Amino acid sequence: MVRADMVRGPDFLRAASDAEFRIGLCEWLARELPALAAGRGPAAMNSIEFRLAWENHICKAGLSGLGWPREVGGHALSLSRQAIYHEEVARAGAPLPVNMIAHGIVAPTLIAFGSAEQKRRYLPRILDNSEIWCQGYSEPDAGSDLAALALRAERRGDVYLLNGQKIWTSFAHLSDYCLLLARTGQGSSPRTGISVMLTDMKLPGISVRPIRQITGEADFNEVFFDNVEVPATALLGKENEGWRLAMAAANYERSTYFVPRVVRLQSELEQLIRLASRTYRHGCAVIDKPSVREELTRLCINAHALRLFADKILADSEAGEASGVDSSAIKLLWSENHQRLFNLAMEVLGPEAALGPQELNSPDEGRWVREYLWTRAETILAGTSEVHRNIIAERGLGLPR
Ligand SMILES: Cc1cc2nc3c(=O)[nH]c(=O)nc-3n(C[C@H](O)[C@H](O)[C@H](O)COP(=O)(O)OP(=O)(O)OC[C@H]3O[C@@H](n4cnc5c(N)ncnc54)[C@H](O)[C@@H]3O)c2cc1C
């Protein structure tokens, strides 16, 4: 159990200035990441096993709960320091975490809406990463139109009886708990009558069936609920008022969410330029091909503009002026430019792009092909491009529905 009066983490967390914070963090990363990654190539660095090992290492070192209030064991760092943290971690080449739902969505939602008992029970185990969470929102007939969700939770004395199905639930096969949306009442509109449940994934009646993705990995799942008895104490907030909580949860981390992704895009672009310089076809370096140079230039400009946009969103968030439309715009621009970058990587690789990510001879251990395939999902997850374009058109530009 983490106590509010405990001092956690390396000294740089308490640095007097942002510059000292950045220097201390960079020194820590330069020491810790290579030590943990020793002997691993690009494929092993991105494996779930290493991602979890690195995440556990970070949490053990006290580098979790950066933005949480001190009374629940957090460091209460400013948004700009959190952004420096995410930026330098991405620049150091650290892999993306696995337990993102717990740290980025569940914890802030619990801090805002959880009972004292729920905070005491769940927050310390998110801080030390000993419990993994997934997010059970989407269903076969409820994705973009989330309010159409049908998984039923009926109150029976001290428990809710759950019946129905979720789909595309990332890391459900590894998870201890699920932040689940269920229908508890009818209400006057589809958005009323929805509740949030902190559901133990080990309960009898829950079965998880992995779905294999185009990359060959199986990180997301179908989850079936067959007469699952969830204790009534698992309800987060009030019954039938879950929509408001779910929308608030979607807003958390918006400001810092894209900082690491935009930094990663810039560093992937630098790696692509190196790949195009050392790849030769018909006696010429691929980077000298006019279409490749033109697309690389376009991507460099877009990556720089994205970086400035991420900084603007962060400054607006610190001033309490964050806009949902800007969040939609950066998600759209980041995901589409990320796809564009890996489309170009396939052109650079030429015939070698036909080798699958698991092929032994695939360049850079199949990393380019794997990322190319994975980026197909990025214009679907966290809101599809069409849905974000609708938000920008209607709420940002005031166009008719
Ligand atoms: C890699 C990955 C991980 C995911 N992880 C999770 C997770 O952990 N938990 C979870 O709950 N969900 C998860 N999802 C699901 C994701 O949130 C949904 O896929 C997404 O919301 C889209 O829903 P859908 O797949 O049902 O598509 P649909 O909503 O059925 O959309 C189908 C097509 O119709 C278009 N469309 C829909 N509505 C409109 C509209 N109003 N105007 C114009 N076009 C429209 C869409 O853009 C899309 O092209 C994940 C998805 C992916 C790809």
Side-chain angles (χ1 to χ4, degrees):
M1 173 70 188
V2 177
R3 292 198 325 269
D5 58 344
M6 278 169 66
V7 177
R8 292 188 306 126
D11 287 346
F12 66 79
L13 282 170
R14 292 167 286 283
S17 69
D18 284 356
E20 286 172 62
F21 174 82
R22 193 188 287 273
I23 292 168
L25 169 63
C26 289
E27 286 171 356
W28 188 87
L29 287 167
R31 203 173 49 241
E32 303 293 326
L33 183 58
L36 201 71
R40 287 181 164 86
M45 284 278 286
N46 277 317
S47 67
I48 295 292
E49 178 229 349
F50 184 70
R51 285 169 64 184
L52 260 176
W54 172 243
E55 193 173 32
N56 288 338
H57 191 71
I58 287 174
C59 293
K60 210 168 144 200
L63 290 168
S64 53
L66 299 182
W68 303 9
R70 291 211 171 82
E71 56 272 23
V72 288
H75 294 296
L77 291 191
S78 65
L79 272 179
S80 51
R81 268 196 201 186
Q82 291 177 57
I84 293 172
Y85 175 85
H86 292 301
E87 184 183 326
E88 293 304 338
V89 167
R91 190 169 285 139
L96 282 171
V98 170
N99 207 7
M100 292 174 271
I101 301 291
H103 293 275
I105 296 174
V106 178
T109 311
L110 271 169
I111 292 167
F113 301 103
S115 66
E117 174 53 24
Q118 287 170 335
K119 290 181 199 178
R120 196 199 56 75
R121 163 65 186 80
Y122 297 112
L123 290 176
R125 291 176 205 172
I126 294 177
L127 272 183
D128 70 11
N129 220 36
S130 55
E131 285 176 348
I132 297 182
W133 286 73
C134 58
Q135 184 181 30
Y137 283 19
S138 304
E139 297 182 5
D141 292 320
S144 303
D145 183 13
L146 185 58
L149 66 92
L151 185 135
R152 186 99 221 133
E154 273 174 63
R155 184 74 189 248
R156 299 267 177 94
D158 291 343
V159 298
Y160 285 95
L161 199 63
L162 263 57
N163 278 292
Q165 185 198 342
K166 295 289 169 184
I167 195 167
W168 318 125
T169 321
S170 302
F171 303 122
H173 58 304
L174 304 175
S175 291
D176 301 288
Y177 283 88
C178 179
L179 185 77
L180 182 100
L181 290 186
R183 192 158 290 288
T184 39
Q186 280 311 322
S188 50
S189 82
R191 292 179 182 187
T192 50
I194 291 174
S195 300
V196 182
M197 312 247 159
L198 309 167
T199 308
D200 183 345
M201 291 293 284
K202 308 282 184 312
L203 286 174
I206 298 183
S207 44
V208 176
R209 193 189 296 163
I211 303 171
R212 194 152 299 280
Q213 294 148 246
I214 195 173
T215 56
E217 297 148 25
D219 291 340
F220 58 16
N221 305 269
E222 291 180 285
V223 185
F224 299 91
F225 298 80
D226 184 12
N227 285 325
V228 179
E229 291 189 2
V230 175
T233 50
L235 184 73
L236 181 66
K238 292 194 179 133
E239 191 180 88
N240 296 332
E241 291 186 13
W243 187 258
R244 189 171 63 89
L245 269 66
M247 292 305 104
N251 278 327
Y252 295 128
E253 279 228 319
R254 265 198 178 149
S255 47
T256 53
Y257 183 81
F258 284 101
V259 175
R261 282 159 181 80
V262 169
V263 174
R264 256 167 229 279
L265 188 136
Q266 284 180 312
S267 104
E268 285 160 347
L269 192 50
E270 285 159 18
Q271 291 165 39
L272 179 57
I273 292 170
R274 286 199 289 276
L275 179 74
S277 308
R278 66 169 198 259
T279 306
Y280 281 76
R281 199 155 310 119
H282 311 301
C284 300
V286 174
I287 197 157
D288 290 330
K289 203 174 156 192
S291 63
V292 171
R293 290 184 92 82
E294 194 178 312
E295 184 64 353
L296 278 174
T297 308
R298 172 63 52 205
L299 281 165
C300 287
I301 293 166
N302 290 359
H304 186 64
L306 264 171
R307 187 60 212 270
L308 297 176
F309 194 19
D311 288 347
K312 176 196 175 291
I313 292 180
L314 190 70
D316 287 351
S317 298
E318 283 202 301
E321 293 164 7
S323 135
V325 173
D326 279 354
S327 300
S328 283
I330 199 163
K331 197 280 166 170
L332 182 71
L333 292 169
W334 163 76
S335 57
E336 296 195 348
N337 276 288
H338 205 214
Q339 280 188 353
R340 214 166 145 170
L341 190 155
F342 283 96
N343 292 349
L344 181 60
M346 295 305 97
E347 188 183 336
V348 169
L349 286 182
E352 286 182 306
L355 294 171
Q358 277 87 26
E359 299 282 347
L360 282 179
N361 294 329
S362 193
D364 289 334
E365 298 183 3
R367 182 241 157 152
W368 293 101
V369 178
R370 189 261 174 202
E371 295 299 315
Y372 164 77
L373 294 172
W374 173 254
T375 55
R376 304 304 100 182
E378 288 172 346
T379 47
I380 301 171
L381 58 86
T384 67
S385 286
E386 290 79 9
V387 165
H388 286 299
R389 282 197 164 84
N390 282 347
I391 293 171
I392 296 164
E394 289 164 17
R395 295 189 216 156
L397 303 175
L399 298 177
R401 287 175 72 90

